[in-house]
Amino acid sequence: MVRMNDCECSQTPLIQLSPFIHQVGGHSSMFQYDKNTVCKLLAPAEYDFYQSIPDMLKPFAPEFRGCVTVQYYEDELGYIKLFARPQTNSLENHPSSNEQEQSSIADKSVQLRCSKDGHVDYSNSLGIDTVKYEKGKPSMVLINPWSLQLCKKQAEKLHRQLIGDENVTITQKYILLENVTARFHKPCILDLKMGKRQYADVDSDKKRQSKIQKCELSTSSKLGVRLCGMQVYQADSDRYIFTDKYRGRMLTVEEFHSSLRQYFDNGSTQRFDVLPEIIKRLESLYVTINSLLKYRFYSGSLLIVYDGSLQSNLIDVRMIDFANTILGTVTNDEVSNPHVGPDKGYLYGLDCLISSFRGILKDDEHKREMISIDDFEK
């Protein structure tokens, strides 16, 4: 983290950021750069991965759009402000957002404000859902509380660092990524942690043991996949049901399968109509991962999205979170190099996920057949 004077930071036009309100998982805040682009804190390993991502994997990952320097400061009223200063080549292949679009994003965002005693809270009514949110319990919300809580936590940390430093800003490097949810009117999002192994080779023993324990106590050890976050649009109330990663860790295998069913329930009907296309996309991803013989996507996640709007059947499936991805060496000696062949843990998780979705679809088709028979007999 670097501290810079305002006069040193004002030479390049800045773009105001807002919280990315469709972030359902993760442990650090993501921000919205424009309608089609989000900012994520730069992790060197993830940055390197995006620089050399295999062509066959690009359709299954968010598009990488460069880097920005993000600056944080508090204005005279105590509002936390976040601005991005793009690098000159950051958005060469991506159209820049106009001032009207930026203003629209800022108007709809939840702002954070610091009081004189250092307390950080939400400045408008949209933050009320976060106040009601209880960790590990599903909640009915207008905006999922996970992204707002992460922003508040970040703001509190920054406020402590800014105390006593007038006219100083704090800057950090962020990567710019495609906003996968941008084309969805009411994005229903399923964030899944994939694989049986979550730790990286470079993790400390303490961190490694913590990740091993989380896998053993969750569906990761049995299914190679666990729920990390979920929001499902409810058409009858015009709100979202949100489930966090703490709930995901507690689920049994049966409860996990039930959660997958709940993902397609919009409060008035079940959106199993989008399932065939999701399954087709997952099967294509399986073939792709199976052909990547030296990659390990440890602690990586899978994002599944469909549109909660009944007028839309849009879906998307993307791999995210590559901070612990490993590319093995060229040797085929499994003794000296354990990262040979495809990522079997990730593939196992995909296989279990596909099987579960197929089961949901088969059960739904069976129910429809029984209803048709009953109607015929009547």
Side-chain angles (χ1 to χ4, degrees):
M1 182 173 291
V2 182
R3 292 179 180 273
M4 300 178 68
N5 239 298
D6 282 339
C7 61
E8 296 176 308
C9 300
S10 60
Q11 298 176 359
T12 306
L14 302 179
I15 297 172
Q16 185 171 357
L17 307 178
S18 61
F20 178 51
I21 61 173
H22 294 303
Q23 180 181 358
V24 301
H27 58 270
S28 61
S29 295
M30 294 178 65
F31 300 101
Q32 191 148 340
Y33 180 88
D34 61 26
K35 178 182 178 181
N36 300 305
T37 310
V38 294
C39 303
K40 182 181 181 182
L41 192 63
L42 187 151
E46 185 166 40
Y47 175 80
D48 290 343
F49 172 80
Y50 276 114
Q51 294 297 300
S52 59
I53 182 171
D55 287 340
M56 66 178 62
L57 203 59
K58 287 181 180 180
F60 296 100
E63 181 185 29
F64 176 72
R65 294 174 174 170
C67 299
V68 291
T69 299
V70 173
Q71 304 175 8
Y72 311 84
Y73 75 93
E74 296 170 26
D75 66 14
E76 63 278 3
L77 298 177
Y79 287 104
I80 300 291
K81 301 290 185 180
L82 296 93
F83 288 93
R85 178 159 51 91
Q87 294 180 356
T88 55
N89 62 345
S90 289
L91 298 177
E92 287 179 351
N93 299 316
H94 178 62
S96 61
S97 57
N98 55 41
E99 291 182 5
Q100 184 177 0
E101 183 182 81
Q102 286 298 328
S103 175
S104 175
I105 292 171
D107 290 343
K108 295 179 181 178
S109 70
V110 177
Q111 291 185 303
L112 293 171
R113 189 175 184 181
C114 293
S115 59
K116 291 183 179 180
D117 63 2
H119 180 68
V120 176
D121 216 334
Y122 308 98
S123 64
N124 59 30
S125 60
L126 289 177
I128 194 170
D129 283 332
T130 303
V131 177
K132 296 179 180 179
Y133 161 65
E134 293 184 58
K135 186 172 71 173
K137 295 184 178 180
S139 53
M140 184 82 76
V141 295
L142 284 171
I143 296 177
N144 87 70
W146 191 256
S147 60
L148 302 186
Q149 283 215 339
L150 289 179
C151 288
K152 181 178 178 179
K153 184 178 179 181
Q154 178 79 338
E156 290 170 341
K157 179 181 178 181
L158 295 168
H159 179 72
R160 291 193 297 269
Q161 294 175 320
L162 286 167
I163 292 176
D165 290 338
E166 296 183 1
N167 300 319
V168 171
T169 61
I170 299 176
T171 67
Q172 287 181 304
K173 291 287 187 181
Y174 278 68
I175 58 174
L176 294 174
L177 298 172
E178 172 191 2
N179 176 9
V180 176
T181 69
R183 63 195 182 105
F184 296 87
H185 183 57
K186 298 290 184 181
C188 297
I189 304 169
L190 186 62
D191 186 337
L192 301 167
K193 184 73 71 174
M194 301 299 295
K196 288 188 171 184
R197 168 179 161 174
Q198 304 297 327
Y199 64 87
D201 289 353
V202 297
D203 283 344
S204 64
D205 288 340
K206 182 179 180 181
K207 193 171 185 178
R208 181 177 300 199
Q209 289 304 315
S210 174
K211 291 184 177 181
I212 290 174
Q213 185 178 39
K214 288 174 184 176
C215 286
E216 291 177 345
L217 298 177
S218 70
T219 57
S220 291
S221 61
K222 301 177 182 66
L223 300 176
V225 56
R226 74 170 182 262
L227 191 149
C228 275
M230 182 173 72
Q231 71 173 38
V232 186
Y233 178 67
Q234 301 298 283
D236 55 344
S237 62
D238 196 28
R239 298 170 79 88
Y240 288 91
I241 288 182
F242 172 73
T243 306
D244 64 19
K245 68 178 182 181
Y246 300 106
R247 173 61 182 163
R249 290 175 188 170
M250 295 185 290
L251 297 177
T252 64
V253 170
E254 292 75 18
E255 290 169 338
F256 174 78
H257 291 313
S258 295
S259 294
L260 294 184
R261 285 183 171 274
Q262 291 169 7
Y263 173 59
F264 298 100
D265 189 340
N266 73 356
S268 59
T269 187
Q270 292 175 313
R271 293 297 310 277
F272 296 146
D273 57 294
V274 299
L275 252 176
E277 194 61 32
I278 289 175
I279 292 172
K280 181 179 178 181
R281 179 83 167 162
L282 289 171
E283 289 172 338
S284 180
L285 176 60
Y286 186 99
V287 172
T288 300
I289 297 295
N290 197 41
S291 67
L292 295 171
L293 303 183
K294 294 182 290 183
Y295 281 89
R296 292 295 180 276
F297 301 99
Y298 296 140
S299 200
S301 291
L302 189 67
L303 207 64
I304 300 176
V305 190
Y306 74 88
D307 202 325
S309 173
L310 292 176
Q311 293 74 37
S312 172
N313 59 358
L314 282 176
I315 68 100
D316 207 339
V317 174
R318 303 291 185 100
M319 298 175 69
I320 58 173
D321 299 336
F322 299 102
N324 293 306
T325 295
I326 294 173
L327 175 60
T329 58
V330 295
T331 176
N332 289 321
D333 182 3
E334 295 192 19
V335 176
S336 60
N337 176 24
H339 307 303
V340 173
D343 190 331
K344 294 180 181 179
Y346 201 108
L347 291 173
Y348 181 75
L350 276 177
D351 189 47
C352 289
L353 188 61
I354 292 170
S355 295
S356 184
F357 281 154
R358 284 175 178 165
I360 292 173
L361 198 58
K362 185 176 180 180
D363 289 345
D364 180 59
E365 290 171 350
H366 178 69
K367 288 179 181 179
R368 290 177 182 276
E369 289 176 0
M370 296 303 295
I371 291 173
S372 297
I373 293 173
D374 290 342
D375 290 342
F376 178 77
E377 292 177 348
K378 290 178 183 179

